[in-house]
Amino acid sequence: MRIVMSGASGFIGTALSGHLLARGHDVVRLVRRPAADPGEASWDPAAGRLDEAVLDGADAVVNLSGAGIGDRRWTKERIREIKDSRLLATKTLTAAMGRLDTPPTTFLSQSASGYYGGSRITQLREDSGAGKGMLAALCVDWEAAAHTAPAGVRVVTPRTGVVLSADGGALGPLLPLLKWGVGGPLGNGRQYWPWISLVDEVAALEHLLVSSIEGPVNVCAPESADVNAIVAQLAAAFHRPAFLRVPAPALKLALGAHLAEELVLANQRMEPARLADSGFSWQHPALADAARWVAGNSK
């Protein structure tokens, strides 16, 4: 396949683009600077600029663009950046597709578990409906922007949860503490995080590129786990204790109340119903397996 990818230099994008190249696919990475090699193409999503010729002949477009959600406090300016970096990039891609006589057949545009809001109690399937809060509203708009792709384009919006890896992602600040034996659960630890290993995240996105699924897909492991279990399994894999709990008030003070409540303290017991029904097979379906993989690849 010939695949055009935005966000290819990010945490998931780096792993996905490397995997697809290794599998023999042709990947064109969209960059916000002059292209440095034939595997790159320049664009300016903030200005809505992308030469549609870059997409001509592509089988699929993968959209992973977006400023980091949890790497700094949510000021008004940062929230605007988080939103614009996703919505403008998505609309730039769909507009370029619309200028082609024959657009790519597949548009895989990232969404997030934040779609479901921060305090849902029930098991969350793809038809559970949107929650409340900034992230939920953003994901609704983000997915709607993806569906402005031309008629006939198969649009897939993966709602990705917490990606476990030794190289960063959501666990970036927590892993060193766990490795040193000074980490612990966040808040009361009873909030569910929809987790998935980076290996399975990449495999799931590749699976969605070649499957016939359309619309939203929950991308997480089949085993549900709360933060207490996730931290305990990771600590056990590192052969370290994990008893230094960080209380919710401290998290809200350090991160800001809205970010802490919608991201770190959010309760999302997400079920990968459509992914499982499509025949996807996880390499790390159990949390213990994923934790051992993270520890085994940690430097």
Side-chain angles (χ1 to χ4, degrees):
M1 298 175 68
R2 182 173 186 269
I3 301 164
V4 177
M5 184 183 300
S6 73
S9 62
F11 170 59
I12 295 174
T14 298
L16 179 60
S17 60
H19 174 78
L20 292 174
L21 287 167
R23 299 269 284 181
H25 299 292
D26 178 17
V27 178
V28 178
R29 303 176 302 278
L30 296 179
V31 296
R32 293 176 174 82
R33 51 171 172 73
D37 60 61
E40 295 182 345
S42 296
W43 75 324
D44 185 353
R49 286 198 294 266
L50 172 61
D51 185 349
E52 61 271 19
V54 174
L55 307 183
D56 196 13
D59 298 289
V61 176
V62 177
N63 176 29
L64 302 176
S65 290
I69 288 177
D71 53 0
R72 67 183 75 168
R73 293 175 73 93
W74 284 359
T75 62
K76 289 183 178 179
E77 181 180 354
R78 183 58 177 173
I79 289 174
R80 184 169 58 251
E81 185 179 0
I82 289 170
K83 292 179 177 179
D84 287 349
S85 65
R86 286 163 173 78
L87 301 182
L88 296 178
T90 305
K91 291 174 182 177
T92 298
L93 290 168
T94 60
M97 289 184 224
R99 296 193 295 271
L100 293 172
D101 292 332
T102 306
T105 57
T106 298
F107 183 36
L108 193 155
S109 186
Q110 186 71 282
S111 185
S113 60
Y115 174 91
Y116 299 108
S119 59
R120 304 289 284 272
I121 298 174
T122 58
Q123 196 94 353
L124 300 168
R125 292 193 169 198
E126 287 85 354
D127 60 356
S128 294
K132 298 179 180 179
M134 190 280 282
L135 291 180
L138 168 60
C139 288
V140 168
D141 291 343
W142 197 7
E143 293 183 15
H147 284 282
T148 62
V153 175
R154 182 176 65 94
V155 177
V156 190
T157 52
R159 294 172 182 165
T160 293
V162 175
V163 181
L164 306 184
S165 169
D167 300 321
L171 293 181
L174 182 60
L175 277 184
L177 300 177
L178 291 174
K179 287 162 63 176
W180 298 331
V182 294
L186 307 173
N188 63 26
R190 294 192 294 273
Q191 69 273 30
Y192 280 85
W193 280 3
W195 65 272
I196 188 169
S197 72
L198 180 59
V199 168
D200 283 333
E201 169 74 13
V202 166
L205 295 181
E206 182 186 28
H207 174 79
L208 294 175
L209 278 174
V210 299
S211 72
S212 59
I213 298 177
E214 296 187 57
V217 180
N218 288 346
V219 178
C220 60
E223 180 181 297
S224 296
D226 63 17
V227 171
N228 284 330
I230 292 171
V231 170
Q233 287 286 4
L234 286 168
F238 284 117
H239 305 290
R240 294 288 188 272
F243 53 83
L244 297 178
R245 185 179 302 275
V246 183
L251 288 168
K252 293 178 182 180
L253 183 63
L255 303 175
H258 293 308
L259 190 158
E261 289 169 358
E262 291 197 38
L263 202 63
V264 180
L265 301 173
N267 184 70
Q268 298 164 340
R269 193 169 186 175
M270 205 164 76
E271 179 184 350
R274 300 191 71 201
L275 197 57
D277 290 345
S278 71
F280 179 72
S281 179
W282 284 262
Q283 185 172 330
H284 303 126
L287 179 58
D289 298 331
R292 284 192 292 269
W293 174 77
V294 169
N297 287 278
S298 183
K299 297 178 182 178

